[in-house]
Amino acid sequence: MDAMRKQLDVLMGANRNGDVREVNRKYFDRDVCRLFLAGLCPHDLFQLTKMDLGPCPKVHSLQLRKDYEEVKAKGTENFDRELEDMIDRLIVECERKIQRALKRLADEDAKAAIAISVSEVTQSEEVAQLSKEIKEKMKEADIFDFEGKTDDKIKTMELVEELRSKRADLQATLLLDAFNKDRAAIPQPIPPPQMATLPAPPPPDARTQELINEKLSKAEALGEQGMVEEAQKALEEAEALKKLAAARQEPVPDPSKYSVADVRITDQKLRLCDICGAFLSVYDNDRRLADHFGGKLHLGYMLIREKLKELQEEPS
């Protein structure tokens, strides 16, 4: 209910029920969110994720943001420093999470996981153009919001989601290309000599494949939450299921050969997203990667990193 009330306050104003206090409220009042006025409140990020901060206890008002921006343009008020400090804290914590994950995985194998510059690998002119269009449409949505044109705002936000989905698919394709090159560089173990070439084993049965997919999805969710050991265990269980399914097709099965304890984390060749700190695998398919790029956690960190860059480029 608090979240719904906040959304209605932003859309229609806190005075929608005739509250006289809203008429007299000023942008500099203590109960007004300065970070929202400056362009980005952390409570609006990461909703329904592990990092969800819940609804902001302070007032979000587009009218007060407009009042603030007019004063800021005159050089008499500026809350950018407060916003920059908040973003710095979020990014520092994300970087710490990445370093902790790398260190813990390095204890298993120094080459088990490395941080990959997703922001560089997934950049292209088309991605940049889509990002520009998304920003423009978000500004249009704010204008419609301020003017009370709810239908126009909804249509614009639907278009924003379409653009984000298109960008996520494109970024997934670019990262998949990079992973393909990464896989090609991974040394393959020398197979033991065989008397005859055996046919490729058939894929796992439907139930086993469903269990494998569940383990991979669980590992991804745990990785986004920074739960490294739990994510590693889920990946090991998925790999064990794959090998157990293959073992059933062998003439002389050896169950001990496919125990979870024998499956190393290096089999997954994990990579860490340098934007949000989530785990990625060089064996992920394009759909799984697109889900990562379109996820709220990744989009939230991408937004604050872009906002920080924007604030740092503004003349002081």
Side-chain angles (χ1 to χ4, degrees), residues 197-203 246 249:
T197 302
L198 298 176
Q249 310 300 326

Side-chain angles (χ1 to χ4, degrees), residues 50-290:
K50 184 71 173 180
M51 293 189 60
D52 193 344
L53 299 176
C56 180
K58 296 192 175 183
V59 174
H60 288 192
S61 167
L62 290 171
Q63 177 60 57
L64 295 179
R65 176 187 279 179
K66 183 173 181 292
D67 295 343
Y68 160 73
E69 289 174 347
E70 290 175 354
V71 175
K72 178 186 174 184
K74 298 177 182 178
T76 56
E77 196 76 87
N78 195 331
F79 300 151
D80 286 356
R81 182 60 185 176
E82 294 180 40
L83 178 58
E84 189 172 342
D85 289 343
M86 180 276 295
I87 292 177
D88 271 332
R89 289 194 296 271
L90 290 175
I91 292 179
V92 166
E93 180 56 35
C94 180
E95 296 297 334
R96 286 176 179 168
K97 182 176 73 171
I98 291 175
Q99 294 305 315
R100 286 197 301 267
L102 287 173
K103 184 178 183 303
R104 295 173 72 175
L105 290 174
D107 292 340
E108 285 282 332
D109 190 313
K111 297 180 180 178
I114 61 172
I116 183 170
S117 181
V118 173
S119 54
E120 294 181 5
V121 172
T122 61
Q123 191 55 264
S124 70
E125 291 184 4
E126 189 173 355
V127 170
Q129 180 60 33
L130 287 171
S131 297
K132 180 180 178 182
E133 291 179 20
I134 290 171
K135 286 184 179 180
E136 291 173 351
K137 291 301 177 183
M138 289 295 293
K139 290 180 180 178
E140 287 182 17
D142 282 345
I143 293 174
F144 289 140
D145 208 351
F146 178 74
E147 295 175 348
K149 299 179 179 179
T150 307
D151 290 342
D152 290 332
K153 180 195 173 182
I154 292 174
K155 291 178 182 178
T156 303
M157 291 306 298
E158 289 176 348
L159 182 55
V160 167
E161 290 304 314
E162 291 177 7
L163 292 171
R164 282 177 173 170
S165 179
K166 185 177 180 180
R167 181 179 64 183
D169 289 339
L170 181 58
Q171 289 176 314
T173 300
L174 292 170
L175 187 57
L176 191 61
D177 290 341
F179 279 173
N180 287 336
K181 296 177 182 178
D182 203 354
R183 283 201 300 268
I186 295 174
Q188 299 298 321
I190 301 175
Q194 296 180 348
M195 297 301 295
T197 302
L198 298 176
D205 59 84
R207 177 55 183 163
T208 302
Q209 187 61 54
E210 182 180 350
L211 290 173
I212 291 172
N213 291 339
E214 288 178 1
K215 295 294 183 184
L216 291 175
S217 298
K218 180 181 178 181
E220 183 177 4
L222 291 170
E224 289 183 351
Q225 297 173 19
M227 303 172 69
V228 180
E229 293 181 356
E230 291 82 353
Q232 176 179 330
K233 181 178 179 182
L235 289 171
E236 290 174 349
E237 291 173 350
E239 187 65 22
L241 285 171
K242 293 179 185 178
K243 292 192 174 184
L244 282 171
R248 297 191 186 104
Q249 310 300 326
E250 294 183 357
V252 183
D254 182 9
S256 63
K257 181 180 178 181
Y258 305 101
S259 64
V260 173
D262 290 334
V263 180
R264 294 182 59 78
I265 191 64
T266 48
D267 291 340
Q268 293 297 327
K269 296 302 176 184
L270 294 179
R271 302 294 180 258
L272 284 165
C273 176
D274 68 331
I275 293 178
C276 67
F279 284 104
L280 301 171
S281 170
V282 296
Y283 300 111
D284 283 341
N285 58 33
D286 56 349
R287 186 65 265 160
R288 186 175 295 278
L289 293 176

